[in-house]
């Protein structure tokens, strides 16, 4: 069975109307071309909408990651004063300015000097890593936001590596001297007290104290800058999302 177009072409050929046939054929080709162009444009719009939706999803997940960074870094800063106080207590004990080796509070303060010395400072960054590994970083259509995001995560990686390089073995030394039970912080095994007296006044300990103090003081400024950068980027992403 002939289609309507084929019947028209057939009729024109039978009537020997070549010029009209060619014009009609050209019109049919143009109609097909226009149809293809329209289909391509619709597909382009569909892809743009899909990319925009995926970009919004990534930006919201980046916001969640930035919130986590602010919480983790803020937690470290919240413990900074107690950490330094614990290290200063350890130094006082080393120099003989504190004598009561059976004081559970003193031992707890010295142990607290090790807080924030283990594990990753900021944890993982899953959304940014996914953006990079999948090539979807190109979905961030705003050039300034892309630059700020890249800068933030470059600095973040540097802070992670920097914190690792500054750490001492203070926590290992203290934990090896006497065990600390977070569920029962007042508990002190009297058998460990002799070891406390000798190990906490060993010359190796003062070196670890000073290294850990350097770590705490140096890292504080870097962590504060990272928190400020995270908050600024978070505000920028929220403003961008709310405008759309």
């Amino acid at each position: 069975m002939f289609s309507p177009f084929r019947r028209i072409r057939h009729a024109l050929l039978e009537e020997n109307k070549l010029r009209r046939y060619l014009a009609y054929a050209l019109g049919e080709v143009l109609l097909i071309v226009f149809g293809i162009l329209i289909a391509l444009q619709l597909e382009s719009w569909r892809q743009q909408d899909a990319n925009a939706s995926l970009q919004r999803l990534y930006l919201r997940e980046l916001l969640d990651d930035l919130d986590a960074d602010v919480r983790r870094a803020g937690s470290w800063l919240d413990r900074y004063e107690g950490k330094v106080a614990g290290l200063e207590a350890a130094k006082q004990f080393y120099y003989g300015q504190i004598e009561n080796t059976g004081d559970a509070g003193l031992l707890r303060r010295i142990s607290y000097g090790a807080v924030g010395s283990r594990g990753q400072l900021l944890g993982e960054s899953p959304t940014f890593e996914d953006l990079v590994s999948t090539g979807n970083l190109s979905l961030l259509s705003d050039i300034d936001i892309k630059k700020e995001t890249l800068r933030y995560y470059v600095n973040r990686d540097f802070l992670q590596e920097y914190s690792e390089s500054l750490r001492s073995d203070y926590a290992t030394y203290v934990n090896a001297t006497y065990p600390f039970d977070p569920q029962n912080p007042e508990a002190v095994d009297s058998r460990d007290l002799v070891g406390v007296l000798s190990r906490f006044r060993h010359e190796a300990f003062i070196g670890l104290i000073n290294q850990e103090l350097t770590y705490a003081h140096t890292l504080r400024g870097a962590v504060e800058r990272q928190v400020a950068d995270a908050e600024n980027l978070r505000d920028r992403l929220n403003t961008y999302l709310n405008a759309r």
Side-chain angles (χ1 to χ4, degrees):
M1 179 179 293
F2 289 136
S3 70
F5 291 136
R6 291 185 65 186
R7 282 200 297 270
I8 293 172
R9 289 199 304 268
H10 185 71
L12 290 173
L13 285 173
E14 285 183 344
E15 294 173 10
N16 200 23
K17 296 178 179 178
L18 182 59
R19 183 176 295 177
R20 290 182 62 187
Y21 172 78
L22 291 176
Y24 182 84
L26 178 61
E28 189 173 330
V29 169
L30 290 175
L31 183 62
I32 293 172
V33 170
F34 285 140
I36 292 173
L37 291 175
I38 291 171
L40 290 174
Q41 185 60 54
L42 290 173
E43 175 60 21
S44 176
W45 287 337
R46 187 199 66 78
Q47 189 60 52
Q48 288 175 13
D49 287 343
N51 288 345
S53 297
L54 188 54
Q55 178 187 226
R56 286 192 294 272
L57 176 62
Y58 271 120
L59 291 179
R60 291 191 183 100
E61 290 180 348
L62 280 174
L63 284 171
D64 290 340
D65 289 355
L66 290 169
D67 286 340
D69 282 355
V70 170
R71 287 194 302 272
R72 288 179 67 101
S75 175
W76 190 94
L77 290 172
D78 289 341
R79 295 178 290 174
Y80 165 79
E81 297 294 344
K83 177 181 180 69
V84 171
L87 293 168
E88 291 295 344
K91 181 176 280 193
Q92 289 177 332
F93 181 81
Y94 173 83
Y95 285 119
Q97 296 172 308
I98 301 176
E99 295 292 343
N100 187 0
T101 59
D103 182 356
L106 169 64
L107 297 180
R108 188 167 63 251
R109 289 200 306 277
I110 291 174
S111 293
Y112 200 80
V115 72
S117 295
R118 300 292 179 87
Q120 284 193 316
L121 179 64
L122 295 173
E124 302 296 330
S125 52
T127 303
F128 183 74
E129 291 171 4
D130 183 68
L131 279 168
V132 172
S133 65
T134 60
N136 284 334
L137 192 61
S138 61
L139 291 173
L140 302 186
S141 56
D142 188 289
I143 300 301
D144 290 335
I145 283 181
K146 185 184 293 186
K147 287 180 179 178
E148 289 181 33
T149 301
L150 285 169
R151 183 180 65 81
Y152 173 80
Y153 280 98
V154 166
N155 291 340
R156 187 184 189 278
D157 287 345
F158 173 78
L159 179 60
Q160 294 276 43
E161 294 176 5
Y162 188 52
S163 67
E164 292 285 345
S165 69
L166 285 173
R167 287 174 181 158
S168 73
D169 289 327
Y170 180 90
T172 300
Y173 192 93
V174 170
N175 290 339
T177 301
Y178 90 98
F180 175 73
D181 181 2
Q183 304 301 321
N184 189 16
E186 300 297 329
V188 178
D189 191 331
S190 59
R191 295 170 298 180
D192 291 326
L193 294 180
V194 174
V196 168
L197 181 62
S198 61
R199 285 176 60 81
F200 282 2
R201 285 197 173 141
H202 192 280
E203 62 180 354
F205 190 45
I206 189 61
L208 295 175
I209 294 170
N210 289 332
Q211 284 181 337
E212 195 68 18
L213 279 168
T214 299
Y215 166 77
H217 294 322
T218 305
L219 203 60
R220 180 187 186 184
V223 173
E224 287 175 337
R225 287 191 297 273
Q226 196 68 27
V227 169
D229 286 347
E231 291 174 338
N232 288 336
L233 180 56
R234 187 175 60 185
D235 291 344
R236 181 65 188 274
L237 296 184
N238 272 320
T239 299
Y240 180 81
L241 282 170
N242 291 335
R244 277 154 178 76

